[in-house]
Amino acid sequence: MKIRIGSRDSRLAVIQSEMVIDSIRAYDPTAEVELVTMKTTGDLILDRPLSQIGGKGLFVKELDKALLERRVDFTVHSSKDLPMDIPPELPLVAFSHRADPRDALVLPQGVDTLDPTRPIGCASLRRTLQLKKLFPHHQVAPVRGNVQTRLAKLDRGEYSALVLACAGLDRLGLESRISRRFPVEEMLPAAGQGILAVQSRADVDTSCLSRFHDPVAAVCLTAERAFVGALDGGCSSPVAAHATVDGDTVTLTGFYVDREGESYIESSCAACADAREMGAELAVRMRRDHP
């Protein structure tokens, strides 16, 4: 039987989908696996911020449709790009080992200092707010497009720097472009950053993903998404969450912004089995304490 993997057609998305394919073939060397690529609405509309055109769901709509129409059996996503509402008929069924979750500062090629006359480019309010604290004298401006498109804009001189996910740059073999990896204490990552998620239909046998799935990453992602979900956080909300696991304990750090624009960072911990409840409770507590 052929296993069909659905993916966005960007170079990074294909590389990430090939990671899933390699794990399926390691599980069953006889498996016939086909990669099916497609453009999503989010890939096609690049002249406006995501918050103005429908949010993160625009990166999964076409992939969800392919699953529902049985044109593919699994789809592969960067977890940080997934909307909070996952249809019950299309569950998330496996998660990768977490790559570097940090954000990276990328300078133009051949440059080693920030140009104060040009903005720092980033694609989220989460990064924007944290960048303004780290670089208070620099303008921050939105940037859209895949990694290669953004880097081309940077090297043409449109920006003094970009902030991109370390995981994506590493997977693309572009780690040499990274000027600085921000510690999570300086810039808290997006929920799910560095973790790949595989989505399927509820009736699909997922045993072929057993070599791909990382239960530790699943616990971290559960806590992070519970925190963001409880705050109704999407691409238009400046929310961040990062979890780590030590033994049977998960620790979550959350970033929350109140109505006045003040930001707060707090942490909580719980047993791994209670990751979802703990994430939601931290969000509710921060919103109650900082209305």
Side-chain angles (χ1 to χ4, degrees), residues 221-268:
L221 187 62
T222 296
E224 293 165 14
R225 284 178 62 81
F227 176 85
V228 176
L231 292 173
D232 298 320
C235 68
S236 61
S237 303
V239 180
H242 178 63
T244 57
V245 169
D246 183 6
D248 294 327
T249 301
V250 56
T251 300
L252 175 70
T253 301
F255 174 88
Y256 166 72
V257 179
D258 68 14
R259 295 174 188 171
E260 304 302 319
E262 288 294 319
S263 60
Y264 303 89
I265 294 178
E266 295 181 14
S267 298
S268 184

Coordinates of all heavy atoms in Angstrom, one line a residue, residues 221-268:
L221 N 4.8 20.2 23.9 CA 3.9 20.8 23.0 C 2.5 20.9 23.6 O 1.8 21.9 23.4 CB 3.8 20.1 21.6 CG 3.0 20.7 20.5 CD1 3.6 22.1 20.2 CD2 2.9 19.8 19.3
T222 N 2.1 19.8 24.3 CA 0.8 19.9 25.0 C 0.7 21.0 25.9 O -0.3 21.8 26.0 CB 0.5 18.5 25.7 OG1 0.5 17.5 24.7 CG2 -0.8 18.5 26.5
A223 N 1.7 21.2 26.8 CA 1.7 22.3 27.7 C 1.7 23.7 27.0 O 0.9 24.6 27.4 CB 2.9 22.2 28.6
E224 N 2.5 23.8 26.0 CA 2.6 25.1 25.3 C 1.4 25.5 24.6 O 0.9 26.6 24.7 CB 3.8 25.0 24.3 CG 5.2 24.9 25.0 CD 6.3 24.5 24.1 OE1 6.1 24.5 22.8 OE2 7.4 24.1 24.6
R225 N 0.8 24.5 23.9 CA -0.5 24.8 23.2 C -1.6 25.1 24.1 O -2.5 25.8 23.8 CB -0.8 23.7 22.2 CG 0.1 23.7 20.9 CD -0.2 22.6 20.0 NE -1.5 22.6 19.4 CZ -1.9 23.3 18.4 NH1 -1.1 24.2 17.8 NH2 -3.2 23.3 18.0
A226 N -1.6 24.4 25.3 CA -2.7 24.6 26.2 C -2.6 26.1 26.8 O -3.6 26.7 26.9 CB -2.6 23.6 27.4
F227 N -1.4 26.5 27.0 CA -1.2 27.9 27.5 C -1.7 28.9 26.4 O -2.5 29.8 26.7 CB 0.3 28.1 27.8 CG 0.6 29.6 28.2 CD1 0.5 30.0 29.5 CD2 1.1 30.5 27.2 CE1 0.8 31.3 29.8 CE2 1.4 31.8 27.6 CZ 1.2 32.2 28.9
V228 N -1.3 28.7 25.2 CA -1.6 29.7 24.1 C -3.1 29.6 23.8 O -3.8 30.6 23.7 CB -0.8 29.4 22.8 CG1 -1.3 30.3 21.7 CG2 0.7 29.6 23.1
G229 N -3.7 28.4 23.8 CA -5.1 28.2 23.6 C -6.0 28.8 24.6 O -7.0 29.4 24.3
A230 N -5.5 28.8 25.9 CA -6.3 29.4 27.0 C -6.3 30.9 26.9 O -7.2 31.6 27.4 CB -5.8 29.0 28.3
L231 N -5.3 31.5 26.2 CA -5.3 32.9 26.0 C -5.9 33.3 24.6 O -5.7 34.5 24.2 CB -3.8 33.4 26.1 CG -3.2 33.3 27.5 CD1 -1.7 33.7 27.4 CD2 -3.9 34.2 28.4
D232 N -6.5 32.4 23.9 CA -7.0 32.6 22.5 C -5.9 33.1 21.6 O -6.1 34.0 20.8 CB -8.2 33.6 22.6 CG -9.3 33.1 23.4 OD1 -9.6 31.9 23.3 OD2 -9.9 33.8 24.1
G233 N -4.7 32.6 21.8 CA -3.5 33.1 21.1 C -3.4 32.5 19.7 O -3.4 31.3 19.5
G234 N -3.3 33.4 18.7 CA -3.0 33.0 17.3 C -1.9 33.8 16.8 O -1.1 34.4 17.6
C235 N -1.8 33.9 15.5 CA -0.6 34.6 14.9 C -0.8 36.1 15.2 O 0.2 36.9 15.2 CB -0.6 34.4 13.4 SG -2.0 35.1 12.5
S236 N -2.0 36.6 15.5 CA -2.2 38.0 15.8 C -2.0 38.4 17.3 O -2.1 39.5 17.7 CB -3.6 38.5 15.4 OG -4.5 37.8 16.1
S237 N -1.7 37.4 18.1 CA -1.6 37.6 19.6 C -0.1 37.4 20.0 O 0.5 36.5 19.6 CB -2.4 36.6 20.3 OG -3.8 36.7 19.9
P238 N 0.4 38.4 20.8 CA 1.8 38.3 21.2 C 1.9 37.4 22.4 O 2.1 37.8 23.5 CB 2.1 39.8 21.6 CG 0.8 40.3 22.0 CD -0.3 39.7 21.2
V239 N 1.8 36.1 22.1 CA 1.9 35.1 23.2 C 3.0 34.1 22.8 O 3.3 33.8 21.7 CB 0.6 34.3 23.2 CG1 0.6 33.2 24.3 CG2 -0.6 35.2 23.5
A240 N 3.7 33.7 23.9 CA 4.8 32.7 23.7 C 4.8 31.7 24.8 O 4.3 32.0 25.9 CB 6.2 33.4 23.6
A241 N 5.3 30.5 24.5 CA 5.4 29.5 25.6 C 6.5 28.5 25.2 O 6.7 28.1 24.1 CB 4.1 28.8 25.7
H242 N 7.2 28.1 26.3 CA 8.3 27.2 26.1 C 8.4 26.2 27.3 O 8.5 26.7 28.4 CB 9.7 27.9 25.9 CG 10.8 27.0 25.8 ND1 10.9 26.1 24.7 CD2 11.9 26.7 26.6 CE1 12.1 25.4 24.8 NE2 12.7 25.8 25.9
A243 N 8.4 24.9 27.0 CA 8.4 23.9 28.0 C 9.6 23.0 27.9 O 10.1 22.8 26.8 CB 7.1 23.1 28.0
T244 N 10.0 22.5 29.1 CA 11.1 21.5 29.1 C 10.7 20.4 30.1 O 9.8 20.6 31.0 CB 12.4 22.1 29.7 OG1 12.2 22.7 31.0 CG2 12.9 23.2 28.7
V245 N 11.2 19.2 29.9 CA 10.9 18.1 30.7 C 12.2 17.6 31.4 O 13.2 17.4 30.8 CB 10.3 16.9 29.8 CG1 10.2 15.6 30.6 CG2 8.9 17.3 29.3
D246 N 12.0 17.3 32.7 CA 13.1 16.7 33.5 C 12.5 15.5 34.3 O 11.7 15.8 35.2 CB 13.7 17.7 34.4 CG 14.8 17.2 35.3 OD1 15.3 16.1 35.0 OD2 15.3 17.9 36.2
G247 N 12.8 14.3 33.8 CA 12.2 13.2 34.4 C 10.7 13.1 34.2 O 10.3 13.1 33.0
D248 N 9.9 13.1 35.3 CA 8.5 13.1 35.1 C 7.8 14.5 35.3 O 6.6 14.6 35.5 CB 7.9 12.1 36.2 CG 8.3 10.7 35.9 OD1 8.4 10.3 34.8 OD2 8.5 10.0 36.9
T249 N 8.7 15.5 35.3 CA 8.2 16.9 35.5 C 8.3 17.8 34.3 O 9.4 17.7 33.7 CB 8.9 17.5 36.7 OG1 8.7 16.7 37.9 CG2 8.4 18.9 37.0
V250 N 7.3 18.5 34.0 CA 7.3 19.4 32.9 C 7.3 20.9 33.5 O 6.5 21.1 34.3 CB 6.2 19.2 31.8 CG1 4.8 19.3 32.5 CG2 6.3 20.2 30.7
T251 N 8.2 21.7 33.0 CA 8.2 23.1 33.4 C 7.9 24.0 32.2 O 8.5 23.8 31.1 CB 9.6 23.5 34.0 OG1 9.9 22.7 35.1 CG2 9.6 25.0 34.4
L252 N 6.9 24.9 32.4 CA 6.5 25.8 31.3 C 6.7 27.2 31.7 O 6.4 27.7 32.8 CB 5.0 25.6 31.1 CG 4.3 26.5 30.0 CD1 4.8 26.2 28.6 CD2 2.8 26.4 30.1
T253 N 7.2 28.0 30.7 CA 7.4 29.4 30.8 C 6.5 30.1 29.8 O 6.6 29.7 28.6 CB 8.8 29.9 30.7 OG1 9.7 29.2 31.6 CG2 9.0 31.4 30.8
G254 N 5.7 31.0 30.2 CA 4.7 31.7 29.3 C 5.0 33.2 29.3 O 5.4 33.8 30.2
F255 N 4.7 33.7 28.1 CA 4.8 35.2 27.8 C 3.4 35.7 27.5 O 2.7 35.2 26.7 CB 5.7 35.4 26.6 CG 5.8 36.8 26.1 CD1 6.8 37.7 26.7 CD2 5.1 37.3 25.1 CE1 6.9 39.0 26.2 CE2 5.2 38.6 24.6 CZ 6.1 39.4 25.2
Y256 N 3.0 36.7 28.3 CA 1.7 37.3 28.2 C 1.7 38.8 28.2 O 2.5 39.4 28.9 CB 0.8 36.8 29.4 CG -0.5 37.5 29.6 CD1 -1.6 37.3 28.7 CD2 -0.7 38.4 30.6 CE1 -2.8 38.0 28.9 CE2 -1.9 39.1 30.8 CZ -2.9 38.8 29.9 OH -4.1 39.5 30.1
V257 N 0.8 39.4 27.4 CA 0.8 40.8 27.3 C -0.6 41.3 27.7 O -1.6 40.8 27.2 CB 1.1 41.3 25.8 CG1 1.0 42.8 25.7 CG2 2.4 40.8 25.4
D258 N -0.7 42.3 28.6 CA -2.0 42.7 29.1 C -2.6 43.8 28.2 O -2.0 44.1 27.1 CB -1.9 43.2 30.5 CG -1.1 44.5 30.7 OD1 -0.8 45.2 29.7 OD2 -0.7 44.9 31.8
R259 N -3.7 44.3 28.5 CA -4.5 45.3 27.7 C -3.7 46.6 27.5 O -3.9 47.3 26.5 CB -5.8 45.6 28.3 CG -6.8 44.4 28.4 CD -8.0 44.8 29.1 NE -8.9 43.7 29.4 CZ -10.0 43.7 30.1 NH1 -10.3 44.9 30.7 NH2 -10.7 42.6 30.3
E260 N -2.8 46.9 28.4 CA -2.0 48.1 28.3 C -0.7 47.9 27.5 O 0.0 48.9 27.4 CB -1.7 48.7 29.7 CG -2.9 48.9 30.6 CD -3.9 49.9 30.0 OE1 -3.5 50.9 29.4 OE2 -5.1 49.6 30.0
G261 N -0.5 46.7 27.1 CA 0.7 46.4 26.3 C 1.9 46.0 27.2 O 3.0 45.9 26.7
E262 N 1.7 45.9 28.5 CA 2.8 45.4 29.4 C 2.9 43.9 29.2 O 1.9 43.2 29.2 CB 2.5 45.8 30.8 CG 2.6 47.3 31.1 CD 4.0 47.8 31.0 OE1 5.0 47.1 31.4 OE2 4.2 48.9 30.4
S263 N 4.2 43.5 29.2 CA 4.4 42.0 29.0 C 4.9 41.4 30.3 O 5.6 42.1 31.1 CB 5.4 41.8 27.9 OG 6.7 42.4 28.2
Y264 N 4.6 40.1 30.5 CA 4.9 39.4 31.7 C 5.4 38.0 31.3 O 4.9 37.4 30.4 CB 3.7 39.3 32.6 CG 3.1 40.6 33.0 CD1 2.1 41.2 32.2 CD2 3.6 41.3 34.1 CE1 1.6 42.4 32.5 CE2 3.0 42.6 34.5 CZ 2.1 43.1 33.7 OH 1.5 44.3 34.0
I265 N 6.4 37.5 32.1 CA 6.9 36.1 31.9 C 6.8 35.4 33.2 O 7.4 35.9 34.2 CB 8.3 36.1 31.3 CG1 8.3 36.7 29.9 CG2 8.9 34.7 31.3 CD1 9.7 36.8 29.3
E266 N 6.1 34.3 33.2 CA 6.0 33.5 34.5 C 6.1 32.0 34.1 O 5.9 31.6 33.0 CB 4.7 33.8 35.2 CG 4.5 35.2 35.7 CD 3.2 35.4 36.4 OE1 2.5 34.4 36.7 OE2 2.9 36.6 36.6
S267 N 6.5 31.2 35.1 CA 6.7 29.8 34.9 C 5.8 29.0 35.9 O 5.4 29.4 37.0 CB 8.2 29.4 35.1 OG 9.0 30.1 34.2
S268 N 5.6 27.7 35.5 CA 4.9 26.8 36.4 C 5.4 25.4 36.1 O 6.0 25.1 35.0 CB 3.4 26.9 36.1 OG 2.7 26.0 37.0

